[in-house]
């Protein structure tokens, strides 16, 4: 029982991070109808920037405080993500406006290549670390209740907390600010949004920037757990089943989908994996999502698609 | 206007095509020994691949700085494979005929080695796979062109169990123990499995197999299982980011690092540097050498190459574990050429076929090693027709939180009695499948 | 073929259709006789298109049944409908944009193709022969609709009026016994409307095809149709000969009320 | 002026339905074929064949398959690599388990197995569409990756998980040299390209395109989506599967599942989109572009750097390669979203009018 709960918690923690990646997909899809395959590359790029600047800044400025260096690096990385968003809007989205989904999808794959190439040529290809002072050692709790106690990873808890705060902030942003409401208007109806005077191009920059910030936060958490290196870009592939499960257009879907996928894949790996050879979690997540799809083609929270003739 | 653009594009395309055609064709008979270098400086494994490549290339530069191989200068060209088998094959094809023909290939990838094992005999180019590749290729009678010099994964697996037995105070204590293998889910990671299972049957310990999918950043479930099953030891057969991830997860699940041991590809600085204190106590097998910043060859390197600003990588990485691995790999190739020159003419450029003979008759004794600056780095190597490995010495080093150090003076040697029959069996099966006739002792002498 | 209105071949009984909570059709019954031109009219949102979609199975009504040549269908689907000889055109042209005119019309011959995939891949025997036969048939339709000059043009590049004609052509290529036309003249200028009227009448006259037609233009409807059904808010408010319908006070009020 | 169809009147529908109705096109294609079958073997060297032409031929075949599904039937797939893997491993198993089975039969059986698996994974396409389907096909990708890594039976219990084939021959013709391999792939591709063209210009092809362009309307004229979609999945998987078998047997001769990873799937999708969706010709253009671009960049970047006195390291080149590759893709999509095939046909139209553009 104790082990089951540990696995469950492990799954929830992993799921929280998948949610963050999925959130990036959903934000961009809602506002610009683009299925952004470059989300993983953005995450890598942001994390690389954060990792490198937090190492460079103390050298350049001669400051000792790790905390300060991290904060400055975070803002520089954030600014870079704004630049990235702006460039993407200028150079890719604007010329491709009104193209088909497949074309846009390809374009984001192109963006992914460019970002990966740029990121590794500017920042290097080694494994870098982001040290934001996350506690690394695990703690045992509830030893009285479960045999051997429950092993809890403080780092995971902090990460989940940050993710939750980010989601809350985003929700506030969308509900309470003028820009947020404009973003929602765009999501609902492009033409309507334009007709009430919201400049669409500006909105796209903001959305991609917000997705960039989400990528940055996810990158910082992930990077601090695993080190920042090239394969961070592949976490995008792990976020995909989450969005098809949760629905491409739903923020709650991304979050709940992430948790379901996280828990599902950890439980399957731990309990089912040894029976059939192990290493099943990736495809299990996809199959799980696929099975859901067969019953609800639009995902858990997606809007129902009605064909009009 | 549009038409002109089209014509321009067409002629540009034509130019590209024709130069693709011409590039390999323009190979004049060179006076230089050509070393193609397959590297991966990008992709998921770049952190580790780059260091190896730097060492490899630097050594070739060093040989030139010392005057070449009996006066024959080395030229080399890198080709990026990104650790992908098909790109490795493409690089092989591209480079094998360049500059008078490739001397030999080192792939630094077990997958690519498998693919090239089929092609090398046709092209008559030797493959050196120092410390990796397919273990049964030790049998040179069947695998004429493969040279898994210094050690194979079977050697690694066998020594790992020896070391564990020693820690437990004797082979008898292995009985009833549980040893988990956390491995990269690829031909590389699967190589040790047969030996571990064989040994498990022999000594009565249980082997638990835990595959990790490429690139190896997702190990949460793996380590949950380890926490549940509580194996007595964990063997780590990882590469690149998989290693540091494993150590971080071990830390996060509280698995004692001093019960973890890695293969020599999981025992370098990039694997542990950022985990730092968290990896303290973790040990790894070495392919004889560890980090050797004080060896003579490294000093020579700094004096003759880096002092002139010709170094390939950052200076502070010279002498680190993977750098040394690359350097030694290059040295083995160079010595193969040198040996071949003894037979086919000093100061001449050797063909792949001649180098193969050189590699098969390699005899690096301690005196030679010392003279080349490898004193204390590695032990003598002697190859033969039946033994393309040359030596099977292994040491174990441990991470102390900031650097790798040898805590025990022990040198292990793999158990020939156990491995030899396995090598013969596996290579025999291969020969049968491919309808190859193993070389007879007489043919070996040619 | 002479045009003599025959027996009832299509009979809809008590059809009700709803999307979620929204009722599109409520308890509608009407019939179509062989060889006649039957019009469905009504203000916007009256449920006319839904009616056609029910007939050829694109929508599944919650209640009611469709009787086609004496066969009862509680659930029609588009494929069954097509097999039974029902073809249709669409209000917002549903041509296959990536194909040229000939290929679009050739798809209409799909049900008549007998050769299998492998024969087609080899372009051999029956496949090749069929391809030629159907091409000849399609050319007849092309001649009939006077669109020879645009044969090989991708339909996406055609002007609206011609697209409508190709849409009709594709439906005709099926050699249907019942043809459903969803606002065939919408958005056309007078000349184009006249052409289209001519085609509809000719189809009905020459091939004896039964036609069910949705149209906004009252003048056209009254001119060419044999009987008219009037829908309003998903209910049937009138049914009969054009003159009867024109005199029906409920119809008048619905029309005047809804469309100014 | 040479490219004119003046005076070429078609007197029968059969003549009009030829693959290349314009005489000049027929001559050009004949010329290309003659060059491919005779010229290249005489002129080309081993490197050209083994490193460029053989991969190009095999990947063209795979791209044709992907184009049938994505370009003609409109079902986006990100799992093409999986079907290459199924084809390769199935052919391998037939090859080694059935003594004396001819090579051609093994490869065809590989393709057929892949077609069957394709049908199974095509079933979701009946319910889900567009991007959801694209992601669903990734399930096939990861599942097959896993199956061939983890189930030893498929690799004939090879301890490394890597399989290899040797002694390939067809009726006494041993396929060893690059020339043999090139010819084998060329013949194969020529035959199957013709079959693909035939399918796309006959009823089945029109069914696929109808489903792609407007599935409701297609159903209304009597096309069953079930049959159209699944047949597209089957035919596409068959092509991709045989391409996988060729890739394993002829090109690599020893392979592991990583040879058919998700990167391969993306690569194939790139080929058809850059080459031209819904165009047989486009599949060839796309394959040629994607195969040669990285090699060309690799050869030229250092040379270009040399002109300006900069040495570009291998790492630098491969990073630049990523950036240039990505930018080119975006550039292409912006300039010609319909791919090289469209550029080609626009070029041809221009040529027909030249020198009098109006």
């Amino acid at each position: 029982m104790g082990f089951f709960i540990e696995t469950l918690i492990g799954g929830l923690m992993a799921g929280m991070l998948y949610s963050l990646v999925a959130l990036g997909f959903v934000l961009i899809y809602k506002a610009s109808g683009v299925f952004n395959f470059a989300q993983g590359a953005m995450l890598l790029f942001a994390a690389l920037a954060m990792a490198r600047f937090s190492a460079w800044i103390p050298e350049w400025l001669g400051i000792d405080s790790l905390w300060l260096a991290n904060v400055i690096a975070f803002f520089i990385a954030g600014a870079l993500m704004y630049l990235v968003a702006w460039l993407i809007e200028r150079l890719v989205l604007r010329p491709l406006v009104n193209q088909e989904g497949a074309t846009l999808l390809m374009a984001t794959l192109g963006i992914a290549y460019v970002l990966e190439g740029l990121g590794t040529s500017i920042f290097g290809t080694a494994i870098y670390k982001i040290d934001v002072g996350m506690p690394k050692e695990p703690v045992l709790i509830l030893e009285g209740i479960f045999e051997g106690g429950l092993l809890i990873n403080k780092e995971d808890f902090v990460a989940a907390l940050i993710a939750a705060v980010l989601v809350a902030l985003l929700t506030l942003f969308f509900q309470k600010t003028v820009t947020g409401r404009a973003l929602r208007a765009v999501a609902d109806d492009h033409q309507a949004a334009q007709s009430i005077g919201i400049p669409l191009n500006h909105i796209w920059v903001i959305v991609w920037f917000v997705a960039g910030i989400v990528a940055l936060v996810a990158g910082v958490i992930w990077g601090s757990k695993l080190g920042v290196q090239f394969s961070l870009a592949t976490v995008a592939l792990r976020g995909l089943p989450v969005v098809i499960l949760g629905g491409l257009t739903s923020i709650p879907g991304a979050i709940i989908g992430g948790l379901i996928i996280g828990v599902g894949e950890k439980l399957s790996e731990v309990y089912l994996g040894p029976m059939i050879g192990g290493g099943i979690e990736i495809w299990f997540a996809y199959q799980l999502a696929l099975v859901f799809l067969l019953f609800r083609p639009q995902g858990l929270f997606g809007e129902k698609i009605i064909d009009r003739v | 206007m549009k038409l002109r653009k089209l014509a321009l594009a067409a002629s540009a395309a034509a130019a590209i095509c024709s130069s693709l055609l011409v590039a390999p064709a323009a190979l004049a008979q060179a006076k230089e020994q050509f070393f193609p270098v397959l590297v991966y400086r990008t992709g998921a494994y770049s952190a580790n691949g780059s260091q190896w490549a730097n060492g490899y290339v630097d050594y070739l530069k060093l040989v030139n700085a010392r005057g070449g191989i009996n006066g024959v200068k080395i030229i080399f060209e890198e080709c990026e494979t990104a650790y992908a088998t098909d790109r490795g094959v493409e690089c092989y094809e591209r480079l094998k005929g360049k500059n008078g023909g490739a001397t030999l290939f080192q792939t630094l990838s077990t997958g690519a080695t498998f693919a090239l094992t089929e092609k090398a005999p046709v092209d008559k180019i030797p493959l050196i796979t120092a410390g990796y590749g397919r273990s049964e290729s030790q049998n040179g009678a069947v695998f004429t062109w493969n040279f898994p010099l210094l050690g194979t994964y079977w050697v690694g697996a066998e020594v790992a169990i020896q070391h564990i037995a020693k820690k437990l105070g004797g082979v008898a204590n292995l009985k009833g123990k549980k040893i988990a293998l956390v491995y990269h889910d690829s031909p590389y990671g699967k190589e040790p499995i047969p030996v571990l299972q064989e040994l498990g049957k022999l000594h009565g310990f249980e082997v638990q197999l835990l595959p990790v999918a490429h690139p190896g950043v997702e190990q949460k479930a793996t380590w949950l299982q380890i926490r549940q099953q509580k194996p007595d030891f964990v063997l780590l057969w990882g590469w690149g980011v998989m290693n540091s991830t494993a150590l971080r997860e071990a830390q996060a699940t509280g698995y004692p690092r001093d019960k973890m041991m890695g293969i020599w590809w999981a025992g370098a600085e990039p694997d542990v540097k950022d985990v730092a204190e968290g990896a303290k106590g973790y040990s790894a097998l070495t392919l004889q050498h560890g980090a050797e910043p004080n060896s003579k060859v490294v000093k020579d390197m700094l004096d003759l190459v880096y002092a002139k600003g010709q170094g390939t990588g950052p200076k502070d990485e010279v002498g680190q574990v993977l750098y040394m691995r690359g350097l030694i790999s290059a040295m083995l190739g160079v010595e193969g050429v040198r040996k071949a020159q003894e037979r086919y003419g000093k100061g001449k450029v050797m063909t792949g076929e001649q180098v193969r003979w050189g590699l098969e008759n390699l005899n690096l004794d301690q005196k030679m090693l010392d003279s080349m600056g490898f004193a204390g780095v590695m032990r003598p190597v002697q190859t033969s027709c039946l033994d393309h490995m040359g030596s099977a010495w292994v040491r174990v080093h441990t991470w102390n939180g900031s650097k790798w150090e040898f805590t025990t003076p022990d040198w292990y040697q793999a158990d020939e009695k156990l491995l030899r029959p396995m090598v013969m069996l596996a290579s025999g099966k291969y020969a049968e499948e491919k309808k190859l006739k193993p070389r007879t002792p007489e043919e070996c002498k040619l | 073929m002479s045009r003599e209105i025959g027996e009832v071949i299509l009979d809809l009984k008590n059809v009700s259709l709803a999307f979620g909570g929204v009722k599109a059709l409520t308890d509608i019954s009407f019939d179509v006789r062989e060889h006649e031109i039957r019009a469905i009219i009504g203000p916007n949102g009256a449920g006319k298109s839904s009616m056609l979609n029910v007939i050829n199975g694109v929508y599944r009504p919650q209640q009611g049944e469709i009787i086609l040549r004496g066969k009862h269908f509680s659930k029609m689907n588009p494929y069954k409908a097509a097999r039974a000889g029902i073809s249709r055109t669409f209000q917002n042209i549903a041509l296959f944009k990536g194909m040229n005119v000939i290929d679009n019309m050739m798809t209409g011959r799909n049900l008549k193709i007998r050769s299998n995939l492998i024969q087609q891949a080899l372009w051999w025997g029956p496949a090749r022969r069929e391809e030629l036969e159907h091409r000849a048939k399609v050319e007849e339709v092309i001649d009939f609709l006077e669109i020879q000059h645009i044969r090989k043009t991708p339909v996406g590049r055609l002007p609206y009026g011609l697209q409508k004609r190709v849409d009709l052509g594709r439906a005709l290529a099926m050699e249907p016994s019942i043809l459903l036309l969803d606002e065939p003249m919408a958005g056309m200028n007078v000349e184009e409307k006249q052409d289209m009227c001519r085609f509809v009448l000719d189809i009905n006259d020459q091939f004896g095809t039964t036609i069910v037609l949705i149209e906004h233009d009252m003048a056209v409807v009254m001119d060419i149709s044999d009987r008219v059904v009037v829908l309003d808010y998903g209910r049937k408010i009138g049914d009969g000969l054009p003159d009867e319908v024109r005199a029906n006070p409920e119809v008048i009020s619905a029309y005047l009320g809804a469309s100014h | 002026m040479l490219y004119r169809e003046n005076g070429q009147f078609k007197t029968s529908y059969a003549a009009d339905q030829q693959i290349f109705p314009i005489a000049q096109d027929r001559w050009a294609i004949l010329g290309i074929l003659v060059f491919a079958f005779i010229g290249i073997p005489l002129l080309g060297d081993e490197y050209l064949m083994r490193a460029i032409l053989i991969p190009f031929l095999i990947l063209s075949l795979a791209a044709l398959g992907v184009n049938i599904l994505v370009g003609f039937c409109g079902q986006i797939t990100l799992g093409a690599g999986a079907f290459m893997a199924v084809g390769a491993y199935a052919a391998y198993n037939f090859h080694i388990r059935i003594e004396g089975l001819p090579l051609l039969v093994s490869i065809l059986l590989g393709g057929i197995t892949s077609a069957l698996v394709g049908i199974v994974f095509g079933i979701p396409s009946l319910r889900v569409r567009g991007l959801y389907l694209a992601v669903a096909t990734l399930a096939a990708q990861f599942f097959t990756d896993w199956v061939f890594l983890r189930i030893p039976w498929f690799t004939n219990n090879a301890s490394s998980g890597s399989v290899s084939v040797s002694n390939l021959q067809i009726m006494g013709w041993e396929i060893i040299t690059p020339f043999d391999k090139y010819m084998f792939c060329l013949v194969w591709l020529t035959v199957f390209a013709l079959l693909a063209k035939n399918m796309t210009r006959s009823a089945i092809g029109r069914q696929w395109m109808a489903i792609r362009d407007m599935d409701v309307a297609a159903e209304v004229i009597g096309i069953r989506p079930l049959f159209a979609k699944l047949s597209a999945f089957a035919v596409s998987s068959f092509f991709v599967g045989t391409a996988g078998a060729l890739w394993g047997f002829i090109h690599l001769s020893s392979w592991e599942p990583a040879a058919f990873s998700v990167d391969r799937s993306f690569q194939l999708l790139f080929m058809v989109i850059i080459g031209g969706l819904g165009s047989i010709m486009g599949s060839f253009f796309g394959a040629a572009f994607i195969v040669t671009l990285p090699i060309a960049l690799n050869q030229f970047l250092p040379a270009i750097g040399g002109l300006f006195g900069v040495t570009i390291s291998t790492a630098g080149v491969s990073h630049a390669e990523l950036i240039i590759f990505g930018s080119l893709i975006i550039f292409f999509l912006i300039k010609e979203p319909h791919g090289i095939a469209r550029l080609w046909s626009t070029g041809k139209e221009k040529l027909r009018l030249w020198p009098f553009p109006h």
Side-chain angles (χ1 to χ4, degrees), chain D:
Chain D
M1 275 224 268
L2 291 172
Y3 195 74
R4 266 311 143 66
E5 46 195 308
N6 290 0
Q8 301 178 25
F9 296 111
K10 305 292 180 314
T11 47
S12 69
Y13 295 135
D16 196 37
Q17 283 170 341
Q18 291 178 84
I19 298 179
F20 298 105
I22 299 173
Q24 285 90 335
D25 280 349
R26 281 199 296 278
W27 285 109
I29 286 296
L30 196 69
I32 290 171
L33 281 178
V34 167
F35 182 68
F37 275 97
I38 300 168
I40 287 181
L42 288 177
L43 297 173
D45 66 347
E46 218 176 289
Y47 166 72
L48 185 74
M49 287 198 205
R50 273 168 76 153
I52 299 178
L53 290 176
I54 294 174
F56 160 70
L57 292 173
I58 300 175
L59 292 176
S60 297
L61 181 64
L64 265 181
V66 175
N67 215 336
I68 285 174
L69 188 61
V70 183
F72 286 94
C73 196
Q75 311 294 309
I76 299 180
T77 171
L78 295 176
F83 298 107
M84 279 184 89
V86 171
Y89 280 94
Y92 168 77
N93 276 295
F94 284 115
H95 186 68
I96 55 153
R97 283 172 203 278
I98 303 173
E99 196 67 42
L101 192 70
L103 175 66
L104 284 178
V105 179
S106 302
I107 296 178
L108 285 174
L109 283 173
I112 290 169
T113 315
S114 169
L116 295 175
V117 177
I119 292 175
V120 172
F121 278 100
I123 290 172
S125 73
L126 304 174
R127 282 281 285 165
V128 299
R129 58 175 78 177
L131 296 166
Y132 286 97
L133 177 67
V135 180
T137 56
L138 274 175
Q141 178 70 51
F142 291 117
F143 184 64
T144 52
D145 278 359
W146 176 85
V147 163
F148 296 125
L149 263 179
R150 193 114 329 280
I151 300 180
W153 189 86
F154 289 109
T155 53
N156 197 21
N157 301 312
S159 59
S160 64
S162 175
V163 300
S164 66
V165 290
S166 53
N167 305 315
L168 301 177
Q169 53 172 339
I170 301 165
M171 290 179 287
W173 175 37
E174 285 188 64
I175 303 169
I176 300 170
T177 64
F179 168 75
D180 300 331
K181 295 181 170 184
Y182 168 78
M183 280 315 254
F184 182 76
C185 294
L186 184 62
V187 172
W188 191 282
L189 178 66
T190 312
V191 170
F192 277 87
L194 187 66
L195 295 185
K197 181 70 202 175
N198 282 343
M199 279 188 265
T200 54
R201 65 183 172 138
S202 52
I204 186 73
R206 289 191 296 266
Q207 290 194 17
W208 293 336
M209 290 187 271
I211 288 285
R212 170 195 70 190
D213 287 345
M214 182 83 43
D215 52 356
V216 181
E219 220 181 332
V220 164
I221 52 179
I223 291 170
R224 279 168 300 169
L226 178 88
F227 177 77
K229 284 182 182 173
L230 292 189
S231 66
F233 265 96
V235 171
S236 159
S237 307
F238 178 85
F239 273 70
V240 174
T242 50
L246 292 180
W247 190 258
F249 278 53
I250 308 288
H251 180 50
L252 295 177
S253 67
S254 160
W255 70 94
E256 51 188 300
F260 308 106
S261 66
V262 67
D263 296 329
R264 174 81 56 218
S265 303
F266 284 139
Q267 192 192 28
L268 289 171
L269 194 60
F270 274 134
M271 284 180 188
V272 298
I273 291 194
I274 288 183
L277 285 168
S279 156
I280 298 285
M281 202 58 131
S283 314
F284 294 101
F285 289 137
F289 184 80
I290 301 278
V291 169
T292 50
L293 182 69
I295 298 172
L297 285 179
N298 244 307
Q299 305 236 344
F300 286 100
L301 280 180
I304 292 167
L307 288 181
F308 299 98
V310 199
T311 17
I312 305 179
S313 67
T314 320
V317 171
S318 39
H319 296 155
E321 191 190 312
L322 280 177
I323 299 173
I324 294 174
F325 188 70
S327 319
L328 270 177
I329 285 167
I330 296 170
F331 176 79
F332 241 109
L333 293 172
I334 292 171
K335 285 291 161 204
E336 188 45 88
H338 301 284
I340 305 176
R342 176 62 68 82
L343 274 182
W344 174 255
S345 58
T346 333
K348 273 200 337 194
E349 266 171 40
K350 289 247 158 65
L351 211 57
R352 272 157 88 167
L353 299 175
W354 191 79
F356 309 109
H358 296 292

Side-chain angles (χ1 to χ4, degrees), chain B residues 241-381:
Chain B
V241 67
M242 174 180 161
N243 295 330
S244 54
T245 307
L247 286 163
R248 287 174 207 268
E249 291 289 356
Q251 185 186 12
T253 36
Y255 190 83
R257 262 69 79 205
D258 56 2
K259 289 189 169 181
M260 289 174 67
M261 187 159 62
I263 180 65
W264 44 71
W265 299 110
E269 287 81 1
D271 303 324
V272 287
K273 202 175 61 206
D274 289 337
V275 197
E277 279 297 307
K280 193 173 172 183
Y282 168 69
S283 58
L285 304 172
T286 69
L287 199 64
Q288 306 200 6
H289 66 88
E292 310 284 356
N294 301 319
S295 58
K296 182 164 176 299
V297 67
V298 168
K299 294 208 167 76
D300 285 358
M301 184 69 74
L302 292 173
D303 291 345
L304 292 170
V305 178
Y306 277 78
K308 291 185 192 150
Q310 290 166 346
T312 316
K315 201 173 170 184
D316 53 345
E317 284 179 8
V318 176
Q320 292 194 348
V321 177
L322 282 168
Y323 182 92
M324 288 309 290
R325 184 91 29 89
L327 189 147
I328 288 171
S329 303
M331 182 274 281
L332 292 167
V334 169
E335 290 315 302
V337 176
R338 201 186 301 277
K339 184 75 190 179
Q341 286 190 358
E342 280 177 24
R343 179 171 173 179
Y344 296 102
K346 280 196 179 168
K348 285 188 184 158
V349 174
M350 295 289 107
T351 65
E353 206 164 3
Q354 291 165 337
V355 174
R356 195 201 67 75
W357 182 87
L359 288 170
E360 192 162 285
N361 294 280
L362 212 54
N363 187 4
L364 296 176
D365 55 19
Q366 195 59 51
K367 215 174 86 209
M368 274 188 82
L369 288 173
D370 291 352
S371 74
M372 290 189 298
F374 286 87
V377 175
M378 60 184 286
R379 289 192 164 185
V381 185

Side-chain angles (χ1 to χ4, degrees), chain C residues 105 109 134-148 165-166 168-175 199 207:
Chain C
M105 295 174 69
R109 307 294 299 170
H134 291 304
R135 174 70 188 269
K137 259 284 182 294
V138 163
E139 291 287 346
E140 281 173 26
V141 179
I142 287 179
D143 288 346
F144 177 82
L145 291 176
E146 298 155 18
I147 47 176
Q148 296 90 336
R165 223 188 276 184
V166 176
L168 177 62
R170 185 180 62 189
L172 273 187
M174 284 175 72
E175 299 182 68
F199 291 134
F207 310 128

